[in-house]
Each structure stands twice: as C-alpha cells, then as structure tokens.
Amino acid sequence: MTDPRTARPWGPAAATGVGSLPGTDAREAARTAAGALETLVFLPELPARGPGADMIGRTAGLLTDLHAQLEPSGWRIADHPGRDARRAAAWLREDLDATEEYTQGYEGALKVSVTGPWTLASALQRRNGEAMLGDAGACRDLAASLAEGVRDLLADVRRRVPGARPVLQLDEPSLTPVLGGRVRTASGYRTYRAVDRVVVADTLRSLVEAAGDSPTVVHSCAPDVPFALLRRSGAAGFSFDLSRITERGYDAIGEAVEDGITLFTGVLPGDGADPAGLSDPAGTVSGVRSLWRRLGLSPALLTESVVITPTCGLAGASPAYARAALTHCARAARSLADNPE
C-alpha cells in the first residue's frame, strides 16, 4: 500500500481552499471550488445555511452509533439524532451530489474536512451539559465513532468520484487549548484538565489510520500549533496560518519537511470583501520563500512540500472575493514553482 504520508496525490505547485465558502448554494460552491483549482479540489462547507452546517453539527451528523441534537447551549449527545443533525446529514449529501456533478472525469486529489476529535470533544456536550472532553472514556468513544464516520465518508467520495484520490482534513482549532488546559467548563468558572500529549497524538493517529491510504491533513489557524505532536500523529500535512508562526515553531517545521510532511500554508486573508487587491501572486508567497531561507531548506523541496491556501475558511468573505482568492492561490502556487528562490 502506498504510504499516505509521502504520496502527495495533489502533485507540485498545488493550491486549495481550507473548507468553507460563503452563501447557501451547494452547486455554486462546488462549481467555484472545482473551477478555480486544478489538482486539489475540496468539498465546500456552507455554514451560512444555519445549524447543522456549522463545523460541529456537520461532523456530528457523521458519527456512527452516537447521536446529537442541538440545544440552546450547543450540540449535545442524545438517544436519537435531532432535527438539526438530520438536516446536517441531508446537507452533506447535497454537497456531495454537487461536487460529484462538477468533478466528472476529475483525476486529482479531493479534500474533505471533518472536525477533529479534540475540537469535537471540546464542543460536543454530554447529557449533563459538560463537554465530552471532561470524560476520558467519552473521548475514546467519540474518536471511535468519528473514525467509523470518516471511513464511510471517504468510501462515499471514492464511489462518487472514482478518478479522485480522497484527502482527509481534520479541523482542530481547539487543539492548543486542549493541550494547555484552557477549555472552559459549562459554568465558565474553571477549565478542564489538560490532556496528555501522548493521548492527543494517539487519538489523532487513530483517525489517520481510519483514513487508510488517503493522506490526512490537520488544520489549525490558531497560534502555537503543536507541529512536533502532529508529526508524531502520522499526519501527512499541516495546515496553518503563516502569519502566526513564530521562531519557536521553526525547528519543528523544518523537521517535518525533511520527514516528507506537506505544509498547507495559509497566506491570504479569508475574510476579504474586495477582490481588486489580489493582483500580486508572487508577493503573496514572499513569506513562504522567507521561511524557507530561515529554515535553511533546499529550494528544490519547496514546490513539492508546500500547498498554498487562504489562512482559514472563506465563509466570511464576499462571494466575489472567495472565487478570486482561490484563483489567486493557484496562481501564487505556480509563481512559487517558477521562482522558488
């Protein structure tokens, strides 16, 4: 079996989106993603549709043998799926239908995003209103359920778009607070205990293994991304906001690149309104070249090891900006390939 960590089915000089797009029209979103990107199309998320289209609700609808419903305080485990969870599953089918329509004959990589196990455990409540994060057994059950849901989702993608190579993205914006013991309890007066780094890495690895030969990318646009931990999890790629990287992360990033891990590098603001400012693809990736020089890495590795993305999802952008941003990322990636130094 091909090693998903080094396979890189998207090829050199690739660009992609992080996940979300503005609006509520699944067909328009799929047309935008497929039209702007050549080798790494993504399954769009449309949170503007409402409850069930948010990242937690969308992933809750994927869980196997665990059900959730939306309460005033947030998503909570229940005996049966609530109306919003059923709606989430229906919207996901609609999104897959639209992507299938606009990827006929496509033979590149196709990225699908789900909320990662630790962000999901931080947000999804047990029946007593406390987050699943506060119960180690509940976290294990949640990760196992999510793994089954991921297997089913990737199998569905392979069936719908047989020429595509699925790529799994785990969205983990709460990963750093989980590690630092900064996730607040329901009362807000205290925080849950920090989770051991070995447990965090092993749980992420269980999702990487569930994805099989589909490469797994872990995304976090928060500060202080734990790159060394993600490397131990077996992830094939790290997705992050380049502007938030400090010198503390340099060594871990350099080691990851030398280990064959791909950097999904966020270089473009995700909340723009006016696409007129997107006129300098080479300038957009100047920070990537600077990072490479600081790390002392070979320019020959650059276009193989970097995928260009917006800094985060584009749900808060105008539709015109979102379309232009994806196209601009593709042009910026080609600029980086043409002049890696």
Side-chain angles (χ1 to χ4, degrees):
M1 184 174 67
T2 302
D3 183 354
R5 189 154 175 164
T6 57
R8 291 176 175 157
W10 44 82
T16 191
V18 172
S20 65
L21 288 176
T24 59
D25 187 331
R27 295 183 73 252
E28 176 62 22
R31 187 175 71 86
T32 295
L37 303 166
E38 297 176 359
T39 61
L40 187 43
V41 173
F42 66 99
L43 178 72
E45 303 168 351
L46 300 174
R49 290 185 291 200
D54 58 293
M55 63 183 289
I56 302 302
R58 182 179 175 97
T59 302
L62 279 175
L63 296 176
T64 300
D65 297 327
L66 275 181
H67 307 297
Q69 63 185 23
L70 187 61
E71 302 286 348
S73 58
W75 287 92
R76 182 173 296 184
I77 293 298
D79 293 329
H80 305 284
R83 177 185 60 186
D84 294 302
R86 290 192 296 270
R87 184 185 297 124
W91 275 334
L92 179 57
R93 289 193 298 272
E94 182 181 310
D95 295 337
L96 288 164
D97 288 343
T99 294
E100 180 180 1
E101 177 183 351
Y102 283 98
T103 54
Q104 293 295 311
Y106 176 69
E107 295 185 345
L110 201 166
K111 181 167 66 68
V112 296
S113 302
V114 303
T115 306
W118 293 109
T119 296
L120 194 61
S122 301
L124 194 57
Q125 302 168 6
R126 290 171 283 159
R127 289 177 174 82
N128 64 2
E130 293 293 343
M132 298 188 81
L133 183 65
D135 183 321
C139 288
R140 287 192 294 271
D141 291 344
L142 180 62
S145 175
L146 179 59
E148 286 301 313
V150 161
R151 290 188 187 97
D152 291 343
L153 174 61
L154 294 176
D156 196 13
V157 171
R158 293 186 187 97
R159 179 183 61 79
R160 290 170 175 270
V161 192
R165 173 78 181 276
V167 176
L168 174 66
Q169 178 176 300
L170 299 175
D171 289 324
E172 284 284 16
S174 297
L175 188 58
T176 301
V178 165
L179 290 166
R182 299 199 302 271
V183 177
R184 294 199 170 276
T185 60
S187 68
Y189 292 117
R190 60 184 183 89
T191 58
Y192 295 106
R193 181 181 301 176
V195 182
D196 185 89
R197 299 177 78 86
V198 173
V199 174
V200 171
D202 286 350
T203 302
L204 290 171
R205 180 177 288 278
S206 71
L207 271 296
V208 171
E209 292 172 349
D213 63 357
S214 293
T216 299
V217 179
V218 181
H219 168 72
S220 176
C221 51
D224 300 321
V225 177
F227 293 111
L229 182 151
L230 296 182
R231 184 171 165 233
R232 292 194 296 273
S233 76
F238 309 155
S239 175
F240 58 93
D241 179 348
L242 180 61
S243 69
R244 291 179 176 263
I245 301 305
T246 64
E247 290 187 11
R248 288 187 300 175
Y250 287 174
D251 287 346
I253 291 175
E255 290 169 359
V257 171
E258 291 175 344
D259 203 28
I261 293 170
T262 303
L263 306 181
F264 285 63
T265 310
V267 297
L268 203 66
D271 56 356
D274 185 2
L278 303 178
S279 58
D280 182 13
T284 296
V285 289
S286 61
V288 180
R289 296 189 184 93
S290 297
L291 174 64
W292 226 248
R293 287 193 294 269
R294 289 179 180 178
L295 295 176
L297 295 169
S298 167
L301 287 172
L302 187 52
T303 55
E304 296 284 346
S305 303
V306 171
V307 173
I308 299 301
T309 76
T311 56
C312 207
L314 293 164
S318 71
Y321 180 89
R323 288 191 295 270
L326 294 177
T327 300
H328 186 81
C329 283
R331 291 172 178 164
R334 289 194 291 271
S335 170
L336 198 62
D338 293 340
N339 182 20
E341 300 186 64

